[in-house]
Amino acid sequence: MQTGAITSYIDVAQVTLYAFWVFFAFLLFYIRQEDRREGYPLEADQSGYFNRDDWLFVPPAKTFLLPHGHGEVKVPNARRDNADRPVPGVKLANFSGAPYVPTGPNPMLDSIGPGSWAERSDTPDLRHEGGPKIVPLRVAPDFYIAEGEINPIGLRVVGFDLVVAGTITDIWVDQSEQMLRYLEVLTEVGVAPRTVLVPINFGTFRKIRDGSRIFYVNALLGEQFAHVPATKMPESITLLEEDRIMAYFGSGLLYAVPSRQEPLA
């Protein structure tokens, strides 16, 4: 006599387990495809060869709508960094993954090692309601230095060789995160005075013998402030400019003086 109870003839728990395994395998494959939308296909370090048509593991292009009316972008797009921006350096050794040695006149601008930067959007990072996130205090009336805190405006900026690089003229704040990001500095080095941005996390406030304060930057020599990458606009900074400025100060930790590239011992 047939009862129609199929659960009496199959192991439901085992079928459920197999179904989960199949689902999980497809999920892993999908996730591994999606994480290849940027940075893939991989390019051979020495030969430069890359498989443009990796149909199995690289997913088909998907269109993403950018916020604030910045258009759309399709990825993956097989764009190659070194096609638009050749690396101004040579490999230290003939094997994949070997580091590069800068060959340009200023290694701190060669985008190598700690000074590398990505081709980010050359537009400001915006707040949810619009408008640049990072701006100087002079255009951010809702922000001010809290009572009892150090007001850095007017302090001297000094490189690790103790040469005065300039004077702080304003503070740039992140209006969304409510924190300091950069110090605006009028440099006194180089061919002519110019205004540059110094990342707040690359320096410390110190008291000197006469009791006054300075902003000490260990990453650069005083004269190297003359070559800090500039911003296009006086009261906003783009994502690309942020990357390049941070890369310049980061590169100083290795390339500011030749001795920083040598072993400690």
Side-chain angles (χ1 to χ4, degrees):
M1 179 178 178
Q2 295 183 348
T3 62
I6 62 172
T7 55
S8 302
Y9 304 97
I10 63 175
D11 189 334
V12 177
Q14 190 171 29
V15 171
T16 304
L17 179 63
Y18 290 162
F20 171 76
W21 284 351
V22 172
F23 162 78
F24 195 67
F26 277 105
L27 178 64
L28 289 179
F29 181 76
Y30 169 78
I31 292 175
R32 291 297 290 128
Q33 270 201 325
E34 288 299 305
D35 70 21
R36 287 177 167 85
R37 291 199 175 275
E38 292 185 290
Y40 285 82
L42 296 179
E43 183 172 327
D45 189 24
Q46 292 179 279
S47 66
Y49 171 80
F50 76 114
N51 183 7
R52 186 186 298 271
D53 300 316
D54 192 348
W55 60 271
L56 181 60
F57 294 108
V58 176
K62 181 186 292 186
T63 301
F64 294 86
L65 301 179
L66 302 179
H68 304 291
H70 285 172
E72 59 185 39
V73 62
K74 289 187 176 182
V75 287
N77 52 27
R79 180 182 175 186
R80 305 168 69 181
D81 279 345
N82 60 358
D84 302 326
R85 182 162 56 100
V87 177
V90 295
K91 291 176 71 67
L92 190 61
N94 188 28
F95 62 85
S96 295
Y100 280 82
V101 177
T103 57
N106 186 349
M108 297 171 62
L109 295 172
D110 285 347
S111 187
I112 292 177
S116 59
W117 46 271
E119 291 282 355
R120 303 181 72 191
S121 173
D122 200 16
T123 57
D125 193 8
L126 302 180
R127 295 183 293 170
H128 178 72
E129 60 272 21
K133 289 175 60 176
I134 302 176
V135 295
L137 279 184
R138 60 180 177 269
V139 296
D142 296 331
F143 292 82
Y144 55 89
I145 302 298
E147 186 177 351
E149 296 294 332
I150 299 173
N151 187 345
I153 297 178
L155 299 186
R156 292 169 294 169
V157 176
V158 178
F160 80 90
D161 56 351
L162 302 183
V163 171
V164 176
T167 304
I168 299 172
T169 57
D170 209 340
I171 305 166
W172 287 51
V173 295
D174 187 324
Q175 300 180 93
S176 296
E177 302 293 336
Q178 301 183 5
M179 62 185 300
L180 304 184
R181 292 292 190 188
Y182 300 95
L183 298 176
E184 183 178 289
V185 177
L186 178 63
T187 62
E188 302 168 359
V189 294
V191 177
R194 59 189 290 260
T195 298
V196 300
L197 296 183
V198 178
I200 189 72
N201 55 308
F202 272 97
T204 56
F205 293 102
R206 293 186 177 181
K207 275 191 175 181
I208 55 178
R209 291 181 179 178
D210 62 4
S212 62
R213 293 183 183 273
I214 61 171
F215 187 70
Y216 175 78
V217 179
N218 184 58
L220 303 184
L221 294 168
E223 63 179 14
Q224 291 169 338
F225 282 82
H227 303 290
V228 175
T231 60
K232 295 183 298 184
M233 304 298 293
E235 295 176 348
S236 65
I237 182 172
T238 70
L239 294 168
L240 177 61
E241 290 166 350
E242 282 197 72
D243 235 35
R244 297 194 66 175
I245 290 173
M246 294 295 290
Y248 184 80
F249 281 85
S251 68
L253 298 175
L254 182 63
Y255 298 126
V257 292
S259 61
R260 290 188 171 182
Q261 302 177 52
E262 301 300 325
L264 294 178

Short mmCIF file of all heavy atoms in Angstrom, two decimals, residues 1-6 8-9:
data_model
loop_
_atom_site.label_atom_id
_atom_site.label_comp_id
_atom_site.label_asym_id
_atom_site.label_seq_id
_atom_site.Cartn_x
_atom_site.Cartn_y
_atom_site.Cartn_z
N MET A 1 0.85 -1.19 0.00
CA MET A 1 0.00 0.00 0.00
C MET A 1 0.89 1.24 0.00
O MET A 1 1.80 1.39 0.80
CB MET A 1 -0.88 0.01 1.25
CG MET A 1 -1.78 1.23 1.34
SD MET A 1 -2.84 1.14 2.81
CE MET A 1 -3.70 2.70 2.65
N GLN A 2 0.67 2.15 -0.95
CA GLN A 2 1.46 3.36 -1.05
C GLN A 2 0.81 4.47 -0.23
O GLN A 2 -0.39 4.72 -0.33
CB GLN A 2 1.58 3.80 -2.51
CG GLN A 2 2.35 2.80 -3.37
CD GLN A 2 2.50 3.31 -4.79
OE1 GLN A 2 1.87 4.27 -5.15
NE2 GLN A 2 3.33 2.63 -5.55
N THR A 3 1.63 5.11 0.57
CA THR A 3 1.11 6.19 1.44
C THR A 3 1.47 7.58 0.91
O THR A 3 0.90 8.57 1.35
CB THR A 3 1.68 6.04 2.85
OG1 THR A 3 3.10 6.17 2.81
CG2 THR A 3 1.31 4.69 3.43
N GLY A 4 2.44 7.64 -0.02
CA GLY A 4 2.88 8.95 -0.52
C GLY A 4 3.88 9.63 0.39
O GLY A 4 4.28 10.76 0.14
N ALA A 5 4.30 9.01 1.44
CA ALA A 5 5.28 9.60 2.36
C ALA A 5 6.68 9.31 1.86
O ALA A 5 7.27 8.28 2.18
CB ALA A 5 5.07 9.04 3.76
N ILE A 6 7.22 10.21 1.02
CA ILE A 6 8.54 9.96 0.42
C ILE A 6 9.64 10.02 1.46
O ILE A 6 10.72 9.48 1.26
CB ILE A 6 8.82 10.95 -0.72
CG1 ILE A 6 8.86 12.40 -0.16
CG2 ILE A 6 7.77 10.85 -1.81
CD1 ILE A 6 9.32 13.40 -1.19
N SER A 8 9.85 8.42 3.96
CA SER A 8 10.11 7.08 4.48
C SER A 8 11.12 6.33 3.64
O SER A 8 11.63 5.29 4.06
CB SER A 8 8.80 6.27 4.53
OG SER A 8 7.84 6.94 5.34
N TYR A 9 11.37 6.82 2.42
CA TYR A 9 12.23 6.07 1.49
C TYR A 9 13.55 6.79 1.19
O TYR A 9 14.43 6.20 0.56
CB TYR A 9 11.48 5.82 0.18
CG TYR A 9 10.17 5.11 0.39
CD1 TYR A 9 8.98 5.82 0.44
CD2 TYR A 9 10.13 3.73 0.56
CE1 TYR A 9 7.78 5.18 0.66
CE2 TYR A 9 8.92 3.07 0.77
CZ TYR A 9 7.75 3.80 0.82
OH TYR A 9 6.55 3.17 1.04
#
